[in-house]
Amino acid sequence: MIRKLDELVERAKSHSKKKIAVGAAGDYEVLDAIKHAMKLGIIEPLLVGHKPKIYTIAEEIHLDLEGIEVIHVPDPIDAAFEATRLVREGYANILMKGLVSSQHLLHAVLNKEHGLRKGDILSHVAIFESPYYHKLLGVTDAAMNVSPTFEDKIALIKNAVELFHKIGFERPKVAVVGSVETINPKMEATMHAATLSMMNKRNQIKGCIVDGPLALDNAVSNKAAEIKHIQSEVAGDVDIVVAPDINGANFLYKSLNFIGGATSAAVIMGARVPIVLTSRADTERSKFLSIALAAAME
Ligand code: COD
């Protein structure tokens, strides 16, 4: 089982090279991450955006674009649509966001005619390596579904579990978290968590072990679980945290990365292909690891 994000890179290297279409590719960190992944033979890019800008940045960062297809679409929103269309047409098997807002790229992806929907809910899954946790930690959904309904949460679990299966986890442990580990009818997230947990026990949610409600402390710490007398296969050893909504997940995402010493990789799951949707504030390493995560999936 993978325990470090670097192992994703090794996994991606062992697969055949993937083609990645980047929408609005004229961005330093994005092109730097692409350069890094190209050097390791993980990907071959298809760059869509403002061509002169892409070439200027490439020269500055010593990215050799010889033999690389660069398509001139100067407007970032149009470039996001064009990159998405190219993926849909089969010219690439990963989509990546460049210098365009997440919402614009997501609109292109969700477009009924030209987008990348398969019919399911799309959702964001981030994977963290933290110096304070003994394994990788998945978090969903920090970037796409604002207020997931109960049904949405079933899809969020399915997407995150699918990602974990695709990187070699047989039966990931899923914690549906809230502020408390007990059911409180005034806290809808705890009601959702308990029902999702029971659906898993009754085999309505498969391929994983789901428990909830759990609070974050007892999901990641055995000691915290013991103090509360929680008996659970998931407590203290969680692989995937399902947050109540985008606010909870996003706070966790940013806390881990900015003050928790963690490193992360993230993708959007549930579309026809994995989508790399890092935010502007993410480091080059995080962008590179997200490309590696998308390329590491079987
Ligand atoms: N999966 C599948 N289909 C979806 C999803 C989804 N997650 N979300 C919306 N759709 C479909 C709807 O069923 C509908 O058919 C169509 O898309 C439009 O739906 P709306 O009107 O609810 O969606 P929009 O266009 O207003 O916005 C969709 C976004 C994904 C852009 C929106 O949910 C959003 O803004 N999410 C947060 C993005 C963000 O700011 N992330 C940055 C945080 S770091």
Side-chain angles (χ1 to χ4, degrees):
M1 194 171 73
I2 288 178
R3 289 193 177 271
K4 300 273 174 204
L5 289 174
D6 272 336
E7 291 170 55
L8 285 173
V9 180
E10 292 311 309
R11 198 178 167 90
K13 277 161 77 177
S14 72
H15 295 167
S16 57
K17 210 184 266 184
K18 302 261 169 66
K19 190 97 175 245
I20 184 165
V22 187
D27 178 78
Y28 278 91
E29 280 85 17
V30 167
L31 287 176
D32 221 15
I34 290 284
K35 181 179 117 182
H36 192 170
M38 274 170 77
K39 228 181 197 168
L40 295 174
I42 296 174
I43 50 127
E44 187 191 330
L46 170 52
L47 305 176
V48 184
H50 193 282
K51 209 167 179 175
K53 196 172 164 194
I54 293 172
Y55 276 98
T56 304
I57 297 173
E59 203 176 313
E60 283 178 37
I61 63 170
H62 308 291
L63 164 63
D64 184 3
L65 290 179
E66 183 72 39
I68 302 300
E69 207 172 339
V70 182
I71 299 171
H72 184 55
V73 182
D75 179 71
I77 300 173
D78 293 344
F81 269 88
E82 180 59 10
T84 305
R85 192 192 66 79
L86 288 165
V87 172
R88 189 185 165 105
E89 300 290 316
Y91 294 103
N93 29 35
I94 300 171
L95 175 66
M96 181 169 185
K97 176 179 98 87
L99 196 53
V100 60
S101 80
S102 297
Q103 286 189 348
H104 285 125
L105 188 92
L106 291 174
H107 280 147
V109 167
L110 291 173
N111 185 288
K112 282 200 175 118
E113 270 175 69
H114 309 290
L116 299 174
R117 285 206 235 184
K118 284 193 303 189
D120 302 337
I121 291 283
L122 276 63
S123 53
H124 183 266
V125 189
I127 303 186
F128 295 86
E129 181 183 321
S130 161
Y132 308 110
Y133 193 51
H134 62 281
K135 65 203 304 203
L136 293 176
L137 181 68
V139 175
T140 192
D141 175 335
M144 188 161 186
N145 291 280
V146 176
S147 301
T149 61
F150 174 73
E151 284 84 2
D152 292 344
K153 285 181 188 172
I154 298 173
L156 260 53
I157 293 174
K158 186 174 153 264
N159 284 346
V161 167
E162 185 184 338
L163 169 60
F164 273 68
H165 286 169
K166 286 185 168 183
I167 57 167
F169 289 69
E170 251 175 58
R171 219 164 156 239
K173 297 178 180 178
V174 180
V176 187
V177 301
S179 309
V180 288
E181 61 286 334
T182 46
I183 296 163
N184 179 344
K186 287 184 181 153
M187 295 181 184
E188 196 184 34
T190 66
M191 306 287 280
H192 285 179
T195 313
L196 291 164
S197 176
M198 185 51 81
M199 285 180 80
N200 174 247
K201 285 189 178 62
R202 295 286 180 268
N203 225 15
Q204 290 174 278
I205 297 174
K206 298 183 180 127
C208 56
I209 307 171
V210 182
D211 199 6
L214 287 172
L216 186 65
D217 56 349
N218 33 64
V220 297
S221 157
N222 261 328
K223 200 172 158 199
E226 274 167 28
I227 291 169
K228 297 270 175 81
H229 306 290
I230 295 168
Q231 281 172 5
S232 155
E233 274 184 90
V234 176
D237 197 38
V238 64
D239 295 303
I240 300 167
V241 167
V242 180
D245 63 13
I246 196 170
N247 297 318
N250 203 277
F251 280 149
L252 181 54
Y253 181 103
K254 286 176 181 153
S255 309
L256 284 166
N257 273 343
F258 286 87
I259 49 180
T263 313
S264 64
V267 286
I268 298 270
M269 294 293 291
R272 294 177 187 210
V273 298
I275 301 165
V276 178
L277 183 104
T278 51
S279 78
R280 292 216 66 192
D282 288 328
T283 58
E284 180 277 326
R285 181 160 164 73
S286 170
K287 289 186 167 83
F288 161 70
L289 287 169
S290 299
I291 295 170
L293 172 61
M297 287 186 222
E298 300 244 347

